[in-house]
Amino acid sequence: MMYRKTVDELQADQREKLVIDIRSAQDYEKETYPGAKNIFWEEFGEHMNEIPKDKPVYLICYTGQKSDEIAERLSELGYEIFSVEGGYRSYLRKKLADFMKEDASQEERLNEKARDVERSIIKKFKKTIWRPFTKAINEYEMIQDGDKIAVCISGGKDSMLMAKLFQELERHGRRNFEVVFLVMNPGYNEINYQTIENNARMLDVPITVFRTEIFDTVADITDSPCYLCARMRRGYLYSKAKELGCNKIALGHHFDDVIETIVMGMLYGAQIQTMMPKLHSTNFPGMELIRPLYLIRESDIIHWAAYNDLHFIQCACRFTENCASCGGTEKGSKRADVKALIHQLEKDNPYVAKNIFRSVENVNLNTVIAYKKDGKRHHFLDTYEE
């Protein structure tokens, strides 16, 4: 029948055309074909002045039966009018099929993206990222047989890289441990949370998400809210990891975090201390914290993200969340000042960062006035006359 057209033929017709949904107004308002106008089939005769003869007209009903009747009658009157075969149901089937194709295509693109990122770690960034990662794992004995590790993902570049590194470690023969990719949502805004979910999907990281109300809890705290927030987040991570059967949590602190902590301790805390590569938890017996990015420079992580065109949240803090997905920084903080200081010193001496790191590996107690161990203070005068 010449007055019948399929949904494919309707969509392929690039001419200016009119699509009329002849179902009830109630069904039309729920959903219709894109750009269609509504004329109920029983009232069609009252709207003949709205039916053009100078362009094609397509009619959509529920099953194609009513549109067949109207199209057959009007085509005999000289209208270029077509009944969409199968009606609105056929359009829905086509829409679902197209969605499935598009979804499969998108899934294929995402899989390829994840593979590209994985290849870059082992090839292009083997020297600057992969080797320092495995060196830290081995040198500081971070993983033992039977470990179940909660790899904690905040949504930033560091933790997402750490997740991919653990996946690579499993693929390259280290199968003596289990991992859970753990995401705590402390009250992220919608954009930040969606960004984390999208990146996890794109990078093929199967995340386990749990929610807390930490941001709401510290929102009204004026005295050291950042300290309280950090402590609470750490506690919730330990608690959830333990609930999931993990004995370790992995955090994404990198080499620059370590040396900045050393300098900050000296300049602002009057003490020499460092961020340790691993720690036993004091509040959660049997739990341990490890820092697998301990030997990786932040500049190399930034390079990895830029090379793969990856975009992560910068800062999800409730107080600074307006900048979280558009390049938020720590500007104005003591850590930012120390970061800038080290960067400036490195311009004159490229070994400054490594020397700061090695300084806490080469402590000579014979040249230290005093030090503390296990809470007890030791002074050089205690043994000076011996």
Side-chain angles (χ1 to χ4, degrees), residues 59-101:
L59 304 180
I60 297 180
C61 69
Y62 293 100
T63 62
Q65 181 180 348
K66 293 297 180 182
S67 58
D68 273 0
E69 295 173 4
I70 297 173
E72 182 178 13
R73 186 171 69 250
L74 293 189
S75 63
E76 293 174 355
L77 298 176
Y79 290 89
E80 186 183 0
I81 191 164
F82 306 102
S83 167
V84 175
E85 190 173 344
Y88 193 70
R89 293 177 183 174
S90 66
Y91 166 64
L92 290 179
R93 287 194 293 271
K94 176 71 164 51
K95 184 179 177 182
L96 178 61
D98 289 345
F99 174 79
M100 294 300 289
K101 289 179 183 177

Side-chain angles (χ1 to χ4, degrees), residues 17 19 70 107 125 197 221 280 302:
K17 57 184 178 287
V19 180
I70 297 173
E107 197 66 33
F125 296 96
E197 281 202 324
I221 303 296
H280 288 293
I302 293 172

Side-chain angles (χ1 to χ4, degrees), residues 251-301:
L251 299 185
H253 297 118
H254 48 65
F255 182 90
D256 293 75
D257 290 324
V258 178
I259 63 173
E260 288 160 16
T261 298
I262 296 170
V263 176
M264 286 176 66
M266 295 174 65
L267 298 183
Y268 302 112
Q271 57 187 341
I272 296 176
Q273 63 176 14
T274 189
M275 182 182 284
M276 298 297 286
K278 64 180 184 179
L279 289 169
H280 288 293
S281 172
T282 54
N283 297 321
F284 294 85
M287 294 293 292
E288 191 175 358
L289 180 156
I290 60 174
R291 295 184 168 105
L293 306 189
Y294 201 74
L295 301 178
I296 300 176
R297 293 301 305 261
E298 184 179 27
S299 58
D300 292 319
I301 300 176

Side-chain angles (χ1 to χ4, degrees), residues 47-327:
H47 296 270
M48 287 302 299
N49 62 327
E50 300 175 30
I51 312 302
K53 277 193 171 182
D54 58 349
K55 59 183 176 183
V57 178
Y58 289 84
L59 304 180
I60 297 180
C61 69
Y62 293 100
T63 62
Q65 181 180 348
K66 293 297 180 182
S67 58
D68 273 0
E69 295 173 4
I70 297 173
E72 182 178 13
R73 186 171 69 250
L74 293 189
S75 63
E76 293 174 355
L77 298 176
Y79 290 89
E80 186 183 0
I81 191 164
F82 306 102
S83 167
V84 175
E85 190 173 344
Y88 193 70
R89 293 177 183 174
S90 66
Y91 166 64
L92 290 179
R93 287 194 293 271
K94 176 71 164 51
K95 184 179 177 182
L96 178 61
D98 289 345
F99 174 79
M100 294 300 289
K101 289 179 183 177
E102 182 180 342
D103 196 51
S105 177
Q106 182 183 27
E107 197 66 33
E108 186 177 339
R109 289 195 298 271
L110 291 176
N111 289 338
E112 184 58 35
K113 177 72 172 180
R115 288 192 290 269
D116 287 343
V117 170
E118 290 156 6
R119 282 192 290 266
S120 76
I121 290 173
I122 299 302
K123 294 183 177 180
K124 182 173 180 61
F125 296 96
K126 183 175 184 179
K127 182 178 179 180
T128 56
I129 289 179
W130 177 248
R131 285 179 181 171
F133 170 72
T134 55
K135 180 181 179 181
I137 293 287
N138 295 324
E139 186 168 321
Y140 301 115
E141 300 178 356
M142 293 186 183
I143 299 177
Q144 281 75 40
D145 289 345
D147 279 344
K148 186 172 183 180
I149 305 167
V151 178
C152 301
I153 299 173
S154 66
K157 65 187 188 313
D158 310 324
S159 59
M160 290 302 293
L161 170 61
M162 179 173 65
K164 294 306 298 179
L165 287 168
F166 267 102
Q167 286 182 322
E168 287 302 312
L169 195 63
E170 286 186 301
R171 292 190 186 102
H172 288 78
R174 288 294 294 267
R175 298 185 180 276
N176 58 332
F177 65 95
E178 294 180 61
V179 294
V180 175
F181 299 105
L182 190 59
V183 173
M184 178 181 64
N185 181 353
Y188 293 136
N189 65 30
E190 177 105 14
I191 294 175
N192 285 330
Y193 183 66
Q194 197 60 55
T195 299
I196 294 171
E197 281 202 324
N198 290 345
N199 280 330
R201 184 185 176 202
M202 177 175 63
L203 294 175
D204 193 26
V205 177
I207 57 176
T208 297
V209 182
F210 72 104
R211 184 177 176 85
T212 67
E213 304 299 330
I214 293 176
F215 283 175
D216 288 335
T217 302
V218 302
D220 298 324
I221 303 296
T222 57
D223 186 19
S224 301
C226 297
Y227 173 77
L228 178 60
C229 180
R231 287 292 301 271
M232 291 180 68
R233 291 172 76 169
R234 185 78 57 84
Y236 274 109
L237 286 171
Y238 270 124
S239 181
K240 187 64 177 181
K242 193 165 188 176
E243 177 188 320
L244 295 173
C246 299
N247 64 311
K248 291 179 179 178
I249 66 171
L251 299 185
H253 297 118
H254 48 65
F255 182 90
D256 293 75
D257 290 324
V258 178
I259 63 173
E260 288 160 16
T261 298
I262 296 170
V263 176
M264 286 176 66
M266 295 174 65
L267 298 183
Y268 302 112
Q271 57 187 341
I272 296 176
Q273 63 176 14
T274 189
M275 182 182 284
M276 298 297 286
K278 64 180 184 179
L279 289 169
H280 288 293
S281 172
T282 54
N283 297 321
F284 294 85
M287 294 293 292
E288 191 175 358
L289 180 156
I290 60 174
R291 295 184 168 105
L293 306 189
Y294 201 74
L295 301 178
I296 300 176
R297 293 301 305 261
E298 184 179 27
S299 58
D300 292 319
I301 300 176
I302 293 172
H303 186 193
W304 167 79
Y307 177 82
N308 289 290
D309 194 25
L310 300 172
H311 305 278
F312 305 105
I313 65 173
Q314 302 290 327
C315 172
C317 173
R318 176 67 55 82
F319 303 109
T320 58
E321 62 183 4
N322 288 337
C323 66
S325 296
C326 57

Side-chain angles (χ1 to χ4, degrees), residues 314-343:
Q314 302 290 327
C315 172
C317 173
R318 176 67 55 82
F319 303 109
T320 58
E321 62 183 4
N322 288 337
C323 66
S325 296
C326 57
T329 67
E330 303 166 323
K331 189 174 182 180
S333 69
K334 289 183 174 62
R335 183 171 290 276
D337 292 341
V338 168
K339 186 189 292 287
L341 173 63
I342 295 172
H343 180 68

